[in-house]
Each structure stands twice: as C-alpha cells, then as structure tokens.
C-alpha cells in the first residue's frame, strides 16, 4: 500500500496556524495527534479535537500526555492492534477497525485512518489519526444480517422492491418456490413471473389498492423458472417513510398450488358428470341461466336442444348396465366433439342430454343439431353396434322463461321419437300458442 505522508513543508501561500487549529477543532470526524515515540510506553497524545473528546467521553486535559491504550479493553482486537503497530513502525498508512471503550466503560466500534507526519528532513515526528464511531452502522449491518437470516429461514417467499417496482431482495423461500435465485432477479420486476392468466382489471385493482396505501391480497398464478404454473397466496404491502411516501413494496407469498389443484379437481367433480364428462345437471342449470341472461341483456338469440338416446332401455336390458354406460360415454363424447367451444353439453338425466347453442337462432341451431345426430349415428360400440339419438330444438322467444323453453324443446324431442327416431324436430310453437 502506498504510504500517505503529511510532511511539514513551506507552503506557497501564507496559512494562519490559528485557522488550521480552528478547522481541526470544528471537524466532524474525531482527530487525534500523537508523538512518534515507538518505545515501550508507546505514543503520547499531544492533541485531541472536541469531536474525539465527545466520542470517548474524556476531556482534552485527561487525554494529553496519555497513550491511546487507555481506550482499549477486553473486546479490542489484538490482531488489529498488532497490524497498527507494524504500520507505525514501517511508517505506512493504516486503516482498520476494532472496539474501543469510552471513559464510562461503554464499548464503541471505531474506524481509523492513521497517517505519518514528517518534518522537512522526512523524519517521522507525529502520527495523525482521523477516527469515526461506526457503532450505529455496524449495528444496522448486523440488524440487516439478522433480518435477512430470519427471512431466509421462512419457507414463504419474500420479495422487496423499491417504489418503482425493481427487486432489491428475494429470500431463499422465493428461490425454492419459483426456481429463481437472488442473482437472477436483482434489478428486475416481479412481472417476470407473469403467466398471462390475469387480465388488466386484476392489475388495475392491485395497483389501485397499493396506491391508497393498503395491502393487496390475492392468489396469483405465476410461472416458475422451469415454466411450470405456480399458484401463490400473496400479500403485497407498501412501506412508507415519515412523509407518507412509498419507498418499498414487500410481497410475502406461499405456494398453494397443491391446494388449488385439489380444489379444481373437486370443482370438476361437481361441475362435470363423472360418467360422461358432460356438464352435471347442477352446473348445466347455471350454464342455462348464464346463457339466458346474456341473451336478454345483449338481445342475441339463444337456442337449446334436447337429445335422447334411441332404444336405450333395450340396450340396458339386453347387454347390461355396463354396456349402457359405454353407450352413454360414446354419445356424450360425440356431442362434445361436434359442437362449438362456446356451446354446452349437459347430462340432463338418464340417457337425455341438453345442448345449449349460444348466440344461435333456429336457422343455425337446426344444422348444429343435425351434425350432432349424424355424429352419433356414425358412432359404434362393441356388441351394441350403431347408436342413434332423437333431438328436439327450440329457440328462446320474447317473454319466455327457461322452463318454458325447455318444455318446448322436450315436446319437439318427443315429436322426433314419434316420427320414427334418429331425426331432428324443431318446435314450431310461438310463445302466444304456447301460452294459450
């Protein structure tokens, strides 16, 4: 290390010694000047500024003529003191830190910068030490380390961003859940985890809540480093300074993927008929109500169809219920595969299925129903062979209820049965004729 030397040399401009003394006396940092005695007793203090006296609790009179060793104690690091003495003997600059003790016995952490003072002949005459009490800084660093250790001990993911949403910290729990380590995410935004499953309204609600200084909580569907979907129960809390300004956001989340998947399976068990894969009766009634309200609100057409498997009782009687179940599955799968994505297939009861044709009038619904009938007719099963269905179609009319619409479709179905089966019949009744 290059030696830093303070040499007493003539200056090219006049300097008032009183001004130098005044500057040292008013220095924020503690300044100590000792002689260059490297003997057994060590250096003696020849000057200590007010900042040094305030830091140590000693008056200048109590310090003058004494050795800086009076500041040392049980926790003073002997290795650091040894390095200090070696630097002084070598006449080189020294920088170090250890624990010293105030007059009242209280310890403090001091950071030194010690340089040599030389005369015109380059002889070391004094050592000047500029010191700073860094106890608060060390305590803050220790608190930060403890804080980080605590956060890393939890299995929950923790992310801290600044007010602009830039990640400044992520714990080990975050890495375990997402697969991303701290180095991967520092300087990036949490949106890097976005899966695309949340719409703009979701994020508008989130930011609206946070800007009001409130905590936002929701289940986020994120995407991990290995591209897997992860469901996280997450709370995001804004942190404010004394002026009420947001400085950071803290996000704490827990991986609830297994719970979400289990709940989804349970919902599917309730939503879908376990045998056929069509909507259950309860879920179907909700789908009917939704389509009905959309038709009324948007003034768009809505049609439904009732489909019934022909001669199904004979299938059960001749081949047994297991073959009957096979037929039900085959018919349901055919109907689902034939219809559009926004249409619905409901197992209405027994061998009967209700079809919802969203946004369709009769001119569109009838061809769809014919396609369904034809698709089933092309389906064959072991032993039973070809299966057919009869279908009745009806379009929602002005002022009609869902129950009335279903009844008209049911009448059309029975008309198809009576006309020879394996065909589509359309309800020709008007609302006025039906009400009459």
């Amino acid at each position: 290390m290059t030696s830093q030397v303070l040499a007493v040399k003539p200056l090219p401009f006049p300097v008032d010694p009183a001004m130098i003394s005044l500057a040292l006396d008013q220095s924020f940092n503690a300044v100590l000047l000792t002689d260059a005695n490297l003997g057994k007793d060590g250096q003696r203090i020849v000057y200590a500024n007010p900042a040094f006296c305030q830091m140590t609790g000693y008056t200048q009179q109590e310090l003058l003529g004494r050795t800086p060793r009076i500041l040392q104690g049980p926790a003073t690091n002997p290795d650091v003191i040894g390095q200090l003495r070696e630097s002084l003997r070598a006449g080189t600059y020294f920088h170090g830190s250890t624990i010293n003790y105030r007059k009242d016995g209280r310890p403090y952490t001091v950071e030194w910068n010690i340089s040599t003072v030389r005369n015109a002949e380059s002889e070391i005459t004094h050592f000047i030490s500029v010191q700073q009490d860094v106890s608060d800084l060390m305590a803050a660093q220790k608190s930060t380390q403890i804080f980080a250790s605590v956060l890393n001990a939890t299995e929950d993911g923790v992310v801290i961003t600044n007010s602009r949403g830039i990640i400044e910290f992520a714990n080990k729990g975050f890495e375990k859940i997402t697969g991303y380590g701290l180095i991967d995410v520092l300087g990036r935004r949490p949106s890097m985890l976005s899966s695309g499953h949340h719409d703009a309204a979701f994020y508008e609600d989130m930011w609206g809540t946070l800007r009001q200084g409130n905590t936002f909580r929701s289940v986020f569907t994120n995407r991990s480093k290995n591209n897997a979907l992860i469901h996280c129960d997450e709370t995001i809390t804004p942190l404010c300074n004394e002026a009420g300004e947001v400085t950071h956001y803290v996000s704490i989340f827990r991986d609830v993927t297994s719970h979400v998947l289990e709940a989804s399976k349970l919902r599917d068990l309730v939503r879908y008929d376990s045998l056929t894969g069509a909507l259950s009766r309860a879920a179907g009634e909700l789908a009917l109500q939704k389509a009905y309200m959309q038709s009324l609100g948007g003034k768009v057409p809505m049609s439904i169809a009732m489909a019934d498997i022909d001669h199904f009782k004979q299938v059960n009687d001749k081949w047994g219920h297991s073959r009957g179940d096979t037929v039900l599955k085959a018919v349901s799968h055919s109907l689902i595969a034939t219809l559009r994505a926004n249409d619905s297939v409901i197992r209405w009861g027994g061998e009967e299925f209700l079809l919802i044709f969203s946004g369709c009038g009769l001119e569109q619904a009838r061809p769809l129903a014919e396609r369904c009938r034809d698709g089933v007719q092309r389906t064959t099963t072991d032993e039973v062979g070809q299966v057919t269905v009869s279908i009745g179609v009806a379009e929602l009319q002005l002022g009609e209820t869902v129950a009335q619409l279903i009844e008209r479709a049911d009448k059309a179905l029975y008309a198809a049965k009576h006309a020879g089966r394996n065909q589509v019949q359309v309800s020709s009744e008007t609302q006025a004729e039906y009400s009459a």
Side-chain angles (χ1 to χ4, degrees), residues 97-381:
S97 178
T98 191
I99 293 177
N100 275 346
Y101 290 82
R102 297 180 176 87
K103 181 181 177 180
D104 61 10
R106 290 182 298 122
Y108 66 99
T109 303
V110 64
E111 188 175 75
W112 300 305
N113 291 281
I114 303 177
S115 302
T116 58
V117 179
R118 299 174 183 265
N119 60 18
E121 288 75 32
S122 293
E123 299 170 335
I124 298 175
T125 61
H126 296 82
F127 296 104
I128 186 168
S129 173
V130 179
Q131 303 185 10
Q132 189 173 7
D133 181 354
V134 293
S135 301
D136 290 344
L137 177 62
M138 296 297 291
Q141 290 176 344
K142 187 175 182 180
S143 296
T144 300
Q145 291 171 353
I146 293 173
F147 177 69
S149 297
V150 170
L151 292 182
N152 281 325
T154 178
E155 293 188 356
D156 290 347
V158 179
V159 178
I160 301 176
T161 75
N162 61 20
S163 59
R164 294 179 293 112
I166 304 299
I167 297 174
E168 295 184 347
F169 174 84
N171 74 338
K172 294 294 184 183
F174 175 89
E175 181 175 1
K176 183 178 179 181
I177 294 171
T178 68
Y180 290 102
L182 179 60
I183 300 303
D184 296 324
V185 300
L186 281 179
R188 301 179 70 181
R189 298 177 184 274
S191 58
M192 64 181 285
L193 301 174
S194 176
S195 64
H197 280 231
H198 301 289
D199 57 16
F202 177 87
Y203 291 107
E204 287 173 6
D205 181 36
M206 180 188 79
W207 282 112
T209 301
L210 294 176
R211 289 190 185 102
Q212 293 175 4
N214 299 321
T215 296
F216 179 80
R217 178 171 183 175
S218 186
V219 175
F220 285 72
T221 301
N222 292 327
R223 197 170 291 280
S224 67
K225 190 174 183 179
N226 66 3
N227 209 36
L229 289 178
I230 46 176
H231 302 276
C232 301
D233 184 3
E234 186 168 355
T235 59
I236 306 174
T237 303
L239 300 182
C240 300
N241 58 19
E242 293 179 355
E245 301 166 331
V246 173
T247 61
H248 293 83
Y249 295 100
V250 178
S251 171
I252 302 175
F253 59 93
R254 177 168 298 179
D255 185 355
V256 293
T257 302
S258 60
H259 300 295
V260 170
L261 293 179
E262 288 174 7
S264 178
K265 288 178 182 177
L266 289 173
R267 284 196 299 270
D268 285 347
L269 287 175
V270 175
R271 179 173 171 78
Y272 295 102
D273 177 64
S274 58
L275 175 63
T276 65
L279 289 176
S280 66
R281 176 69 179 256
E285 288 176 350
L286 291 176
L288 269 172
Q289 187 66 24
K290 180 180 178 181
Y292 179 72
M293 297 306 296
Q294 287 176 339
S295 178
L296 294 183
K299 296 182 180 179
V300 293
M302 169 192 173
S303 297
I304 66 169
M306 296 295 294
D308 187 86
I309 301 174
D310 295 327
H311 304 297
F312 185 72
K313 185 177 184 301
Q314 294 178 17
V315 172
N316 279 334
D317 292 344
K318 184 174 182 179
W319 286 286
H321 287 282
S322 62
R323 291 301 179 191
D325 288 348
T326 301
V327 170
L328 282 169
K329 290 179 188 176
V331 170
S332 177
H333 294 170
S334 175
L335 294 173
I336 293 170
T338 302
L339 290 182
R340 305 167 303 170
N342 61 331
D343 294 329
S344 300
V345 178
I346 307 161
R347 188 180 181 191
W348 201 244
E351 70 273 21
E352 195 172 49
F353 295 87
L354 188 149
L355 315 178
I356 303 175
F357 304 128
S358 298
C360 288
L362 284 179
E363 69 281 359
Q364 294 173 288
R366 180 162 189 163
L368 281 173
E370 283 286 358
R371 279 170 49 189
C372 289
R373 183 200 61 76
D374 185 60
V376 172
Q377 182 178 242
R378 295 172 184 274
T379 301
T380 60
T381 61

Side-chain angles (χ1 to χ4, degrees), residues 8-37:
V8 179
K9 296 181 180 179
L11 297 174
F13 49 85
V15 177
D16 183 356
M19 181 59 68
I20 296 177
S21 176
L22 186 63
L24 291 174
D25 286 345
Q26 295 182 14
S27 172
F28 171 80
N29 290 322
V31 179
L32 185 73
L33 187 66
T34 69
D35 62 25
N37 180 13

